[in-house]
Amino acid sequence: MMGSLGFLHTPALGSLPLSSSKPTRNKLHLAIQKPIGVTSGSQKFLGHQTFLFSPRISIYRRVQDSSTISVLVTDDSSTMTSTEEDTDNIGILGSDPGLEPYKDHFKYIVRKYAEQKALFEKYERGLEEFAQGYLKFGFNREEGGVVYREWAPAAQEAQLIGDFNGWNGANHSMEKNQFGVWSIKVPDSDGNPAIPHNSRVKFRFKHGDGIWVDRIPAWIKYATVDPASFGAPYDGVYWDPPSSERYQFKYPRPPKPKAPRIYEAHVGMSSSEPRINSYREFADDILPRIRANNYNTVQLMAVMEHSYYASFGYHVTNFFAVSSRSGTPEDLKYLIDKAHSLGLRVLMDVVHSHASNNVTDGLNGFDVGQCSQESYFHTGDRGYHKSWDSRLFNYANWEVLRFLLSNLRWWLEEFKFDGFRFDGVTSMLYHHHGINMAFTGNYDEYFNVSGMPGLGRPVFEGGIGFEYRLAMAIPDKWIDYLKNKNDEDWSMNEISWSLTNRRYTEKCISYAESHDQAIVGDKTIAFFLMDKEMYSGMSCLTDASPTIDRGIALHKMIHFITMALGGEGYLNFMGNEFGHPDWIDFPREGNGWSYEKCRRQWDLVELEHLRYKFMNAFDRAMNLLDDKFSFLASTKQIVSSTNEEDKVIVFERGDLVFVFNFHPENTYDGYKVGCDLPGKYRVALDSDALEFGGHGRQVGHDADHFTSPEGIPGVPETNFNNRPNSFKVLSPPRTCVVYYRVEESEEENNDSVLVGVNETLAADAGAQQENLKESAYVKDNDIDTNPSNV
C-alpha cells in the first residue's frame, strides 16, 4: 500500500526511547489488517501493467496505466510471521510462475512486513491501537477538560490559541515530551468546556529562528474560511457538538456486493444550479438517481478539506476535516447514512500520496526548519512533487504512519465509509514517484524497486492485500480510437486485447471514462462522438442526424463492452452515463470565477423530448443486467471471436453470450455465435431497442434461439470458434445484444413470459427517476414495482 520507502521507527507515546530507534529499509509497507475493521475499499494504483485474463498464464505487455482499488484485509489468516519456513512458502508464486526468479524479493518484503507488524504490537499494543491516533492527538475530551496534542519535534515553544482565549496563548503554553509531542489540558469552566464547540483554534509555535507562527492543528476535525473574503486563510474549528446536535446513524452498512458498480461523484458540483451543492442536497436529490440506475456503490471525491476548489480535492490541506464547502461533519454523516438506507456502499477518494503545498492552512505549515526525521515530509527535492506542486510524505517516520493509518480509521469509524480508493499510489511506491517513467510491463522494472505484481492479492500469499486495480489503460485506448481512427479502422482484436489484458487473479475496475475525461482540456466520449451537435441535434421531435445516431449507438457500445469485458467491477463518473454535454470547469481566474460549468444538468435526462434519456436508460439497463445475472463477478470470461472483416466481437461472461457488431453498415442475419452450454437462448438486453434510442431492428425479444452441437465432444479444435455449441442471431450494425440461457425450470414455472424494456419504460414514463428501474429483459415475476425500494 505504501511503497518502497523505508521506515525509521521512532514510536511516540510509546515506551521505546528515541535513541534506540534504527532506520529500516522496507520494500513493502502495510496493508491494513483486521483491527481496522473494514470489509472492503478501494485504492487507485498508478502502475503500468495489465495482463491477459487466462487461468493458466500471465503475460505482460505495454499499456498506458493501471490503477488499484484496495480491500483492507480482515482475515486473521493473513497474519505473517518472520520465520524462514513461512517466507519460503509464497502463495503468489503458485498463480504466476513467472515471479519465481523474484522469490527472494517476496521473502524479503514478507519478512519486513512481519517485523513492522511486530513493532506495532510491541510498542503500540498492535495496529488497532496504533491506528486510533485521533483518540490521543488533536482535541479530545478527557476527564475535566479538553486535551490537545500535536507532534512538532522541531518546535522550541508552543501555545494553544483561539476564540476561547482571545488569541493570546500566554496562559496556554504547551509541554513537549521526549518524542516531540506537545500537549496541554484546558480544564472545564463551571462544568462547561472552556473551548466551545464550533469555535476557532490554532497551534502557535516558535521555530529554530525564534519566529512564532500560527498553524491549523494537524488533526483538526473541521476547518472553515470566511466566504466573504477572497483568499482568506482557513481557521481550525473545534468540533464537538452536544449529543442533541450530533448525527446518529440509523442504518447498517449494506452487505458487500458480488461486484462493485461504482458511481464516482463530486458533491460540490452535483447541483443543477451554478453553485456548490451541499451534502444533504446530494443525499436527498442525487443518491436516489444513483440507486435508480442500479449502481451499488458511490465513490465520493473531494471529501477531505482542500483550500483550492479546482484541485478536485487532490491537494488536501486538512486530512481529518470534512470539506466545509458542502456542510458540516454531521451533514456528511447524513449523506452516508442515507446511502446505506438505499443499499449503496460509500467509498472515499483518499489522498495519502501527497499533500497541499499550502503553508498557512495545510500540513505543510509544520515543516518550518525541520529535518526529515522531524517532519511529515521529506526535505529538499525528495519532499516535493514537481508535477503536482505538492509535498511528499516521509513514510519512514513513525508519526507519519500513525497519522495516515489513523486517518483511514477515522473516516471508517466516525463517518461509516465502507472503503477507499487511494490516489497516486505510484508516487507512494517509487522513489521516482512515476515521474518521467515509462513502464513496459517487464517484471524487472518493478522488483528491487517495488513489488507491483501482487498488489491485488492477499497478504498471506505475499501480496499487498488490495482488492481491485483501476484499469486506466482502457479509457486511454478509447480516446486513441475516437481521436485517431475511422470506424472502419477499429480493430476487434486490439479492442478485445485491451479490455482483457490484465493479471490473472488480480481484479480490476473497468471504466470507459471518469472525471479525468470530463475536465476542461479533455473530452468525454459523448463529446468526441457528437461534439457541437449535442447542443442542436438531441431533440426527439426530429430525426437523428448521422452524427447523433452514430454517437448514441457507440456511446452505449463503448460503455457496455468496457463493463462486460474489462474487469470484475465497473465505474462511471457523474453525468457520463447520459452523455452530459458540458465539460467541468471549476471557478478560476481564467473563467471569471464562474460556476457555470461546475454543475450537472440533470434536467436533460428528465425532458422527454431529448435523447439524453436514451443513454441514461441504457446505463440503468447495463447495471440491472449485472444485478440479475452477476456476470461481473464471474471468472468465466471467454472471447470466442474477434472478426476483423465483420467487425464483430463475441464473448461469454458467466453464462451470458454477448454479441457486439461495430460495423457501421452491415447487418448479419443468421449470424453464427459460439457458446458453452446447450439449450435455448433468448435476448436479455438489446442496445438497439427503441427505449434506448435505437432502431428496434431486433424484433421478437422473446424468440427462441436453439443451439446446435459443434464438432467432436471434448476436442476443442473441432468446435466452432473453440465452443462446443452454437446458435444463430440477428446482428444489426452498431449494436450489442446479450443472450441468456433459459432453464427448463423457468419454462415450467414462468411459461416463458418475458417483459422487455419497451413495456417497462413506457409504463413508467411519468416518473423516470423513481420508477424506471427495469431496463433489461427480465422475467415478469422478478420485476419490483415498489418505488420505495428505489
Side-chain angles (χ1 to χ4, degrees), residues 44-96:
K44 181 178 179 183
F45 171 71
L46 301 181
H48 302 71
Q49 182 175 9
T50 55
F51 290 79
L52 177 66
F53 189 91
S54 165
R56 303 179 63 182
I57 60 173
S58 62
I59 51 183
Y60 59 79
R61 59 168 297 168
R62 182 169 185 164
V63 296
Q64 291 289 324
D65 275 304
S66 84
S67 303
T68 310
I69 289 188
S70 74
V71 66
L72 306 181
V73 177
T74 61
D75 187 354
D76 278 333
S77 65
S78 65
T79 300
M80 286 287 194
T81 66
S82 58
T83 65
E84 191 65 27
E85 180 181 355
D86 287 332
T87 57
D88 272 341
N89 299 316
I90 306 297
I92 193 174
L93 303 183
S95 61
D96 187 355

Side-chain angles (χ1 to χ4, degrees), residues 660-688:
F660 281 78
N661 180 356
F662 282 96
H663 201 286
E665 298 176 352
N666 289 358
T667 294
Y668 305 108
D669 195 0
Y671 197 79
K672 189 175 180 180
V673 299
C675 64
D676 181 16
L677 302 175
K680 180 169 62 178
Y681 287 78
R682 288 179 179 164
V683 172
L685 177 61
D686 171 21
S687 72
D688 197 44

